[in-house]
């Protein structure tokens, strides 16, 4: 039997994402003793902009597009969050996603409020030239209304967008605001060489790897998930081979010895019990347009059913509402690491908790993207690359240490040790180090909240609790 496949609109109608997020937030709010009225303020969006705009495309005709940008909380400025391009984009979804951005930023101590944008469009239906026209037109409206600016609202890539779109947005901003010296900081996730930062493109996947590594450093949590050891040899299932899923799968398999036994994509799933070669699968997908036909694996069209493949770690890194009350009781993993935003519904959460499956939530796991966006924004307003001032100094100091050790011992240091000691940190190493530190810290805060409060029975509520605690602390200090 093939599991019922729902198109994005039907899925959204059947599992209202915003209700699901609110139910998750309520669980944390119910455990907190907040002044009357504050829980409502925390939950609701500050503002939402909805626009319809015409663009004359290469066919000579005018086409009208619908877009949104929601600001959930501007307790810090700027507010931050991606812009997604998808035909399923709607106001409720954008609002819910913008609230997740607020919690996400709080969890990783990134001093930004939460925002999100979306354009209802299927990018595949347009040529690059037309996509550029559409992106620039949308950006112009958002800039003119204060929904894109280095100090107020800073978008980034999300589903359906990437560095290319961010470069168009930055250029549109620069054309409209030629006197703003910080123009590059109006958007993050730009290409390196056009105001971007090394390590941003891989950041969300890298952050997922760092979270899983940190999870395995917490023996109590590992035991709770009925796991042991570390990532080495663990069976992993990944849904989505887009930017997030691809990088997460690549890093845990190539660097930590995990076995990716199943990859689920739009057209179906690939299975191989000995582990899939992520690079090879990705190459196949880029060349042929699908994972179907990849030689070293079994293919099934039942992608949703493949989510139930027995494994140790399941990483849903595609769409919202993939694990629902319909399939939660059949999910055969020990740990779910949410790479996408909202892949598990609130109802499914309860079923998974009853079954003893640990869920590490989206706001924690996929916060690597916004963390490195924060680094990029700092780089842009500082107008200097990280490491530029100290890299050669570090190198000089390292070589002096090697020289001193060799002189004192009369021995030559092995070449590999020498090169590691002598190396000054470049931008990518600094970004990775900052990201690792941030993700570890966020995991520790969430795990600490989970163990500290008796009434907190899962990591999602712990994450929401920890994020809202930080949010309330900021509100109170500001006198809200
Ligand atoms: N779209 C990403 C997210 O959902 C990145 C946001 C950002 O970098 O601002 O977290």
């Amino acid at each position: 039997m093939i599991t019922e496949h729902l198109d994005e609109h039907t899925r959204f109608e059947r599992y209202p994402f915003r209700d699901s997020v609110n139910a998750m937030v309520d669980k944390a709010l119910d455990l907190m003793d907040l002044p009357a009225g504050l829980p409502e303020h925390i939950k609701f969006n500050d503002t939402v902009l909805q626009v319809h705009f015409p663009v004359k495309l290469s066919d000579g005709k005018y086409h009208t597009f619908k877009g949104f940008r929601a600001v959930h909380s501007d307790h810090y400025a700027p507010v931050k969050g991606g812009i997604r391009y998808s035909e399923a984009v709607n106001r409720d979804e954008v609002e819910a996603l913008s609230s997740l951005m607020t919690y996400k930023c709080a969890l990783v101590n990134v001093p930004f409020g939460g925002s999100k944008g979306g354009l209802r469009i299927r990018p595949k239906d347009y040529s690059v030239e037309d996509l550029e026209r559409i992106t620039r037109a949308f950006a112009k409206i958002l800039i003119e209304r204060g929904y894109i600016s280095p100090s107020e609202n800073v978008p980034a890539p999300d589903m359906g967008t990437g560095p290319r779109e961010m470069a168009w947005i930055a250029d549109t901003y620069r054309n409209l605001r030629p006197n703003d010296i910080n123009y590059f900081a109006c958007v993050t996730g730009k290409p390196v060489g056009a105001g971007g930062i090394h390590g941003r493109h891989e950041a969300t996947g890298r952050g997922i790897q760092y979270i899983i590594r940190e999870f395995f450093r917490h023996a109590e949590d590992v035991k709770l998930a009925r796991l042991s050891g570390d990532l080495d040899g663990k069976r992993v299932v990944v849904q989505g081979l887009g930017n997030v899923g691809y990088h997460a799968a690549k890093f845990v398999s190539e660097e930590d010895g995990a076995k990716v036994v199943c990859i689920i994509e739009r057209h179906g799933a690939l299975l191989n019990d000995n582990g899939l070669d992520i690079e090879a699968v990705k190459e196949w997908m880029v060349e042929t347009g699908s994972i179907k036909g990849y030689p070293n694996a079994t293919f099934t069209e039942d992608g949703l059913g493949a989510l139930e493949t027995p494994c140790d770690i399941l990483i849903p890194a595609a769409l919202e509402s993939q694990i629902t009350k319909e399939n939660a009781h059949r999910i055969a993993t020990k740990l779910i690491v949410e790479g996408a935003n909202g892949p598990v519904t609130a109802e499914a959460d309860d079923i998974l908790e009853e079954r003893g499956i640990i869920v590490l939530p989206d706001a924690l796991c996929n916060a690597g993207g916004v963390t490195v966006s924060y680094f990029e924004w700092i780089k842009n307003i500082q107008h200097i690359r990280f490491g530029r001032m100290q890299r050669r100094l570090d190198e000089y100091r390292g070589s002096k240490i090697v020289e001193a050790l060799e002189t004192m011992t009369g021995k030559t240091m092995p070449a590999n040790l020498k090169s590691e000691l002598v190396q000054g940190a470049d931008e990518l190493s600094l970004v990775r180090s900052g990201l690792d530190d941030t993700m570890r810290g966020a995991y520790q805060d969430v795990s600490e909240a989970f163990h500290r409060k008796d009434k907190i029975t899962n990591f999602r509520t712990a994450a929401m609790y920890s994020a809202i605690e930080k949010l309330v602390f900021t509100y109170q200090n500001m006198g809200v």
Side-chain angles (χ1 to χ4, degrees):
M1 184 196 80
I2 290 204
T3 319
E4 186 189 12
H5 184 83
L6 303 176
D7 65 57
E8 286 179 42
H9 290 293
T10 320
R11 180 164 293 282
F12 199 85
E13 268 163 29
R14 198 177 287 184
Y15 308 105
F17 180 45
R18 188 188 173 134
D19 293 352
S20 187
V21 173
N22 277 343
M24 290 164 178
V25 177
D26 278 338
K27 276 194 183 162
L29 287 171
D30 288 347
L31 301 174
M32 302 176 100
D33 190 19
L34 298 179
L38 195 52
E40 285 70 29
H41 176 67
I42 289 171
K43 267 194 324 199
F44 292 116
N45 269 69
D46 286 359
T47 55
V48 192
L49 176 73
Q50 178 178 326
V51 295
H52 283 101
F53 58 97
V55 187
K56 194 175 178 189
L57 297 183
S58 45
D59 60 5
K61 294 182 191 150
Y62 285 93
H63 297 248
T64 300
F65 297 92
K66 185 174 191 166
F68 305 87
R69 183 88 180 150
V71 175
H72 172 254
S73 176
D74 62 359
H75 63 292
Y76 281 131
V79 292
K80 192 82 187 79
I83 292 185
R84 78 170 42 177
Y85 283 5
S86 151
E87 56 187 332
V89 158
N90 62 71
R91 181 179 166 149
D92 269 2
E93 180 194 46
V94 172
E95 286 193 26
L97 288 167
S98 78
S99 73
L100 276 180
M101 285 309 304
T102 301
Y103 307 124
K104 205 181 287 192
C105 291
L107 277 179
V108 285
N109 295 320
V110 163
F112 292 149
S115 182
K116 198 78 167 200
L119 188 62
R120 191 176 290 175
I121 181 180
R122 204 161 74 145
K124 282 201 177 87
D125 294 347
Y126 299 89
S127 66
V128 175
E129 291 71 31
D130 281 347
L131 268 182
E132 178 171 352
R133 284 194 188 107
I134 299 161
T135 303
R136 285 182 182 274
F138 187 33
K140 183 166 178 278
I141 298 177
L142 295 179
I143 293 162
E144 281 165 350
R145 308 203 178 183
Y147 280 79
I148 295 181
S149 120
S151 58
E152 286 176 295
N153 196 326
V154 182
D158 200 82
M159 199 187 291
T161 56
R164 181 183 67 182
E165 285 74 16
M166 302 307 116
W168 292 333
I169 293 175
D171 189 57
T172 307
Y173 182 85
R174 189 183 168 184
N175 290 336
L176 286 170
R177 303 273 185 272
N179 293 328
D180 188 345
I181 195 170
N182 290 321
Y183 64 89
F184 261 149
C186 77
V187 65
T188 59
K190 300 177 293 293
V192 179
I197 193 168
H198 286 99
R200 174 61 186 87
H201 193 54
E202 62 167 49
T204 312
R206 184 64 79 184
I208 289 171
Q209 176 194 32
Y210 290 158
I211 283 292
I212 304 178
R213 283 185 180 172
E214 186 59 17
F215 163 82
F216 278 107
R217 290 189 196 104
H218 291 247
E220 240 180 309
D221 300 348
V222 175
K223 206 167 140 204
L224 212 66
R226 292 167 290 184
L227 286 164
S228 60
D230 54 23
L231 256 167
D232 193 29
K234 293 290 181 292
R235 288 169 58 88
V236 177
V237 172
V238 179
Q239 185 194 33
L241 210 56
N243 181 34
V244 179
Y246 160 67
H247 283 111
K250 176 180 166 69
F251 297 145
V252 296
S253 60
E254 289 179 6
E255 298 173 14
D256 299 312
K259 264 197 305 186
V260 179
V261 295
C262 173
I263 292 175
I264 305 160
E265 253 295 323
R266 201 176 293 265
H267 303 110
L270 288 178
L271 298 131
N272 183 339
D273 248 16
N274 298 320
L276 291 150
D277 178 340
I278 306 304
E279 242 355 276
V281 175
K282 181 77 179 178
E283 239 168 71
W284 182 271
M285 195 172 119
V286 171
E287 268 167 33
T288 67
S290 154
I291 53 172
K292 198 173 174 176
Y294 174 74
N296 306 318
T298 313
F299 177 77
T300 164
E301 273 178 19
D302 187 9
L304 207 54
L307 270 178
E308 297 158 24
T309 307
C311 62
D312 298 306
I313 305 170
L314 170 61
I315 309 178
L319 296 166
E320 289 127 38
S321 309
Q322 298 298 299
I323 303 174
T324 63
K325 63 178 190 304
E326 255 75 55
N327 61 357
H329 54 279
R330 292 193 303 267
I331 295 294
T333 189
K334 291 170 180 155
L335 177 69
I336 295 179
V337 179
E338 292 187 328
N341 288 310
V344 176
T345 65
E347 287 161 326
D349 248 355
D350 294 338
I351 301 171
L352 295 168
E353 188 180 330
E354 250 169 55
R355 296 186 53 219
I357 297 172
I358 302 292
V359 180
L360 299 181
D362 44 10
L364 171 69
C365 301
N366 69 27
V370 76
T371 300
V372 178
S373 276
Y374 172 46
F375 301 156
E376 180 177 332
W377 182 80
I378 294 172
K379 175 185 178 179
N380 292 153
I381 57 173
Q382 283 188 156
H383 299 266
I384 189 165
R385 152 174 68 78
F386 289 106
R388 180 163 172 182
M389 302 297 276
Q390 72 270 32
R391 184 171 173 197
R392 299 299 163 194
L393 183 66
D394 291 347
E395 204 175 277
Y396 173 76
R397 288 226 171 101
S399 57
K400 281 287 158 208
I401 292 171
V402 172
E403 203 181 303
L405 283 170
E406 288 184 342
T407 312
M408 285 186 319
T409 58
K411 290 181 184 158
T412 309
M413 187 177 280
N416 58 336
L417 280 183
K418 197 186 262 182
S419 78
E420 272 183 36
L421 255 180
V422 162
Q423 218 170 63
D426 59 9
E427 187 173 80
L428 182 60
S429 337
L430 290 166
V431 163
R432 285 189 181 156
S433 145
L435 177 61
D436 194 7
D437 187 55
T438 304
M439 300 311 283
R440 288 190 203 205
Y443 184 93
Q444 286 157 14
D445 286 352
V446 171
S447 177
E448 192 268 331
F450 176 75
H451 292 288
R452 169 167 48 105
K453 294 282 293 181
D454 281 347
K455 287 187 180 146
I456 296 184
T457 54
N458 59 61
F459 281 78
R460 189 184 314 278
T461 309
M464 288 294 183
Y465 191 95
S466 172
I468 294 169
E469 258 185 341
K470 291 181 192 178
L471 197 61
V472 169
F473 183 78
T474 317
Y475 283 156
Q476 281 169 347
N477 281 324
M478 290 190 325
V480 173

